[in-house]
Amino acid sequence: MTIDEFVQLIDRSGDIMLTCGKYKLTIITWADEGIGIGFQNKNPALNKIQYFSSSTELVNKFLLDGIPLAKLSDKIIIDQCT
């Protein structure tokens, strides 16, 4: 999946569950705060959602191990999308 395809998917979807390397993440697009992304984790203290004003901002500013999600598009696997 290219980063442009991923941005379009975020823009057209509600919830996206994905795997990127060793991380499982959820993206929500319907929150009042903006587009949110957080780690799937059973410990609520670790489930901090970060919000961004757009899908482009999310992919460019959300970091996994210091790398923007935009540079990891070849590692993104969509597990579920609504």
Side-chain angles (χ1 to χ4, degrees):
M1 169 178 304
T2 68
I3 198 59
D4 289 334
E5 291 170 331
F6 186 51
V7 166
Q8 290 175 16
L9 180 66
I10 295 168
D11 288 341
R12 293 189 322 255
S13 301
D15 291 336
I16 302 170
M17 294 165 54
L18 63 110
T19 303
C20 186
K22 63 183 178 181
Y23 299 104
K24 292 203 166 278
L25 303 155
T26 299
I27 296 173
I28 58 172
T29 60
W30 43 263
D32 290 339
E33 297 89 340
I35 300 173
I37 186 168
F39 294 96
Q40 296 174 22
N41 191 305
K42 293 182 181 184
N43 181 346
L46 298 176
N47 285 345
K48 304 295 182 202
I49 296 176
Q50 294 179 46
Y51 292 97
F52 299 91
S53 62
S54 70
S55 55
T56 302
E57 182 184 29
L58 182 146
V59 299
N60 287 316
K61 293 191 176 180
F62 181 77
L63 305 177
L64 288 176
D65 295 330
I67 302 169
L69 201 54
K71 295 195 183 235
L72 299 169
S73 63
D74 61 329
K75 294 180 173 43
I76 295 173
I77 299 168
I78 304 300
D79 299 318
Q80 184 177 346
C81 182
T82 59

